[in-house]
């Protein structure tokens, strides 16, 4: 250590570490080798300490005090230890994450296996790059709360947002939060506001978020409906307009989960009413859920159509159902209802109907082009 060149000291550090890990050493020799490894921590060259770290990084039998010191060294030395050493405990890794060095956080996020606790620490205080690595790490155990914290902290970043959307582990409420954040990002974008104005941009992005939410409902399992309903309820997103659009598009199972949350009645009873209950009983249920009298007739009309579709007696989609819902108000696509509330609801249904018309026309055009 006193006279050899850096390259020679690095080679000696590697050889000594391998001998300590692999060779059958007597107790005295092992004790002396461990002392020598500890002394190498004071080598002034980072190349020597990096060689030592590389040699010790994959073994469970590396001396703890040496590994801990290397993990706290400068990033190029600590990198192999932080990235893969099995000696480091979860508490050691969490302490390193809490130190706030971005490169350190990123290396820990890339480890082949990460516990839920370490993942939670990265999600809570980790830099953006570390959070991206965490989401892309299939070996990381990530809690739903940790996903939510990453969305809240860094959801405006396009790279993380894309990684989160691709992750099958992402809970549905977090997917909805991402949709909302994306809508807000688009709404305040200077180009969007310059093209359509602030008021128009707000309406367009709000409508786009609602449509995206309906798509999200299609992508999740029935066992996740209750969690997403509660998330939407707490955010105040379970508006009458959203429920009308949901029923028009045939999301009846999710609508049932909404009614469970709003009325407190048993899921089995609500399912029975939606699938075959009389209009009077279903209307009473809708009233208990807080839906106004003008909304009940369109919803009852839609439920009747979707029941026939489910039984194979009819073929219909959002285009036909939205028109029938509009007709139940006493309005046609070119005529509003008799009072202000009905007129507002008619305007909403007219918009749903026109959206469905455009979507069907687009799909038909694509089919013709593909043929």
């Amino acid at each position: 250590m006193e006279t050899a060149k850096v390259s020679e000291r690095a080679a000696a550090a590697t050889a000594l570490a391998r001998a300590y890990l692999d060779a059958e050493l007597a107790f005295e020799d092992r004790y002396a080798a461990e002392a020598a490894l500890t002394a190498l921590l004071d080598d002034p060259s980072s190349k020597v300490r990096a060689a030592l770290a590389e040699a010790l990084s994959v073994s469970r039998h590396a001396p703890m005090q040496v590994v801990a010191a290397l993990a706290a060294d400068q990033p190029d030395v600590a990198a192999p230890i932080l990235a893969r050493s099995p000696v480091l405990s979860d508490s050691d890794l969490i302490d390193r994450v809490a130190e706030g060095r971005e490169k350190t956080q990123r290396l820990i996020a890339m480890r082949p296996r990460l516990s839920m606790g370490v993942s939670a620490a990265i999600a809570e205080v980790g830099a953006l790059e570390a959070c991206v690595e965490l989401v892309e790490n299939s070996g990381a155990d990530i809690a739903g709360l940790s996903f939510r914290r990453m969305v809240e902290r860094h959801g405006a970043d396009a790279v993380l947002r894309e990684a989160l959307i691709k992750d099958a582990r992402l809970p549905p409420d977090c997917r909805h939060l991402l949709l909302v954040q994306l809508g807000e990002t688009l709404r305040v974008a200077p180009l969007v506001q310059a093209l359509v104005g602030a008021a128009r941009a707000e309406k367009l992005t709000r409508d786009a978020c609602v449509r995206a939410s309906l798509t999200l409902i299609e992508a999740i399992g029935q066992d996740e409906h209750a969690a997403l309903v509660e998330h939407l309820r707490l955010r105040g997103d379970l508006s009458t307009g959203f429920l009308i659009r949901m029923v028009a598009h045939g999301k009846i199972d999710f609508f049932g989960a909404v009614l469970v949350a709003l009325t407190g009645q048993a899921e089995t009873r609500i399912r029975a009413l939606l699938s075959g209950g009389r209009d009077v009983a279903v209307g009473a249920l809708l009233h208990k859920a807080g839906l106004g009298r003008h909304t009940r007739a369109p919803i009852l009309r839609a439920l009747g159509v979707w029941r026939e579709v489910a039984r194979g007696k009819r073929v219909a989609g959002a285009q036909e159902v939205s028109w029938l819902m509009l007709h139940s108000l006493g309005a046609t696509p070119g005529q509003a209802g008799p009072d202000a509330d009905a007129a507002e609801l008619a305007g909403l249904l007219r918009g749903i109907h026109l959206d469905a018309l455009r979507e069907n026309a687009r799909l038909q055009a694509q089919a013709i082009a593909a043929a």
Side-chain angles (χ1 to χ4, degrees):
M1 289 177 63
E2 293 177 356
T3 60
K5 298 177 181 178
V6 170
S7 59
E8 294 171 337
R9 300 202 308 273
T14 300
L16 178 60
R18 288 176 177 170
Y20 179 87
L21 297 174
D22 300 334
E24 293 292 336
L25 298 177
F27 174 79
E28 294 81 3
D29 291 337
R30 177 167 292 276
Y31 182 80
E34 188 170 324
L37 290 172
T38 305
L40 285 171
L41 295 172
D42 297 324
D43 195 289
S45 172
S46 63
K47 292 182 179 179
V48 176
R49 304 196 303 279
L52 183 62
E54 185 67 37
L56 296 176
S57 64
V58 295
S59 175
R60 294 184 176 275
H61 305 294
M64 180 63 210
Q65 76 277 11
V66 177
V67 171
L70 291 170
D73 209 319
Q74 64 191 58
D76 60 326
V77 174
I81 296 293
L82 294 172
R84 55 180 178 264
S85 175
V87 175
L88 293 177
S89 66
D90 282 356
S91 59
D92 294 325
L93 295 171
I94 291 172
D95 288 342
R96 297 288 172 257
V97 171
E99 289 175 357
R101 291 197 296 191
E102 293 186 11
K103 187 172 182 180
T104 296
Q105 294 173 344
R106 186 169 176 266
L107 287 167
I108 293 174
M110 296 168 64
R111 287 173 68 90
R113 294 287 182 270
L114 277 181
S115 71
M116 193 174 289
V118 179
S119 297
I122 296 172
E124 189 65 37
V125 302
L128 171 61
E129 291 76 11
C131 290
V132 172
E133 294 292 349
L134 176 65
V135 174
E136 293 179 345
N137 185 352
S138 60
D141 190 4
I142 308 175
L145 180 61
S146 298
F147 276 117
R148 197 169 299 113
R149 287 297 294 142
M150 286 189 283
V151 172
E152 292 170 353
R153 295 179 61 231
H154 302 300
D157 180 79
V159 175
L160 179 62
R161 195 164 56 230
E162 183 177 358
L164 286 167
I165 288 293
K166 291 179 179 178
D167 197 324
R169 301 169 295 180
L170 186 68
D173 60 324
C174 295
R175 292 187 183 275
H176 182 261
L177 277 178
L178 284 175
L179 292 173
V180 173
Q181 287 190 345
L182 177 58
E184 181 62 20
T185 301
L186 292 173
R187 184 183 69 81
V188 300
L191 177 61
V192 174
Q193 295 210 356
L195 288 173
V196 299
R200 179 66 174 161
E202 183 174 358
K203 183 180 184 305
L204 288 173
T205 53
R206 184 174 62 249
D207 291 345
C209 284
V210 169
R211 287 192 290 270
S213 297
L214 292 175
T215 304
L216 173 60
I217 292 171
E218 294 177 356
I220 65 174
Q222 196 167 325
D223 58 330
E224 297 178 298
H225 283 177
L228 182 56
V229 167
E230 186 62 18
H231 166 74
L232 294 171
R233 188 181 68 81
L234 292 174
R235 283 184 48 86
D237 288 338
L238 289 179
S239 64
T240 299
F242 181 65
L243 298 183
I244 288 290
R245 190 179 290 270
M246 181 194 311
V247 173
H249 283 269
K251 315 299 184 201
I252 307 304
D253 287 340
F254 192 80
F255 182 60
V258 172
L259 292 178
V260 170
L262 295 180
T263 65
Q265 296 196 18
E267 181 180 353
T268 52
R269 170 173 167 74
I270 288 179
R271 285 188 178 279
L273 286 173
L274 292 179
S275 62
R278 294 179 178 275
D279 284 356
V280 174
V282 178
L285 178 67
L286 299 177
H287 175 69
K288 187 176 179 63
L291 294 170
R293 63 184 181 88
H294 286 299
T295 64
R296 294 171 210 162
I299 290 177
L300 290 172
R301 186 71 181 94
L303 289 175
V305 176
W306 291 123
R307 286 171 184 170
E308 293 179 359
V309 171
R311 294 165 185 163
K313 296 181 178 180
R314 184 171 189 163
V315 176
Q319 177 180 323
E320 294 81 7
V321 173
S322 59
W323 187 91
L324 291 171
M325 293 173 75
L326 185 61
H327 187 72
S328 71
L329 288 172
T332 64
Q335 177 185 352
D339 59 34
D341 290 337
E344 183 178 354
L345 183 55
L348 172 63
L349 287 168
R350 190 178 300 112
I352 296 172
H353 180 66
L354 293 176
D355 285 345
L357 281 172
R358 284 192 290 267
E359 178 64 15
N360 287 341
R362 183 180 65 82
L363 294 175
Q364 185 177 5
Q366 288 178 346
I368 292 172

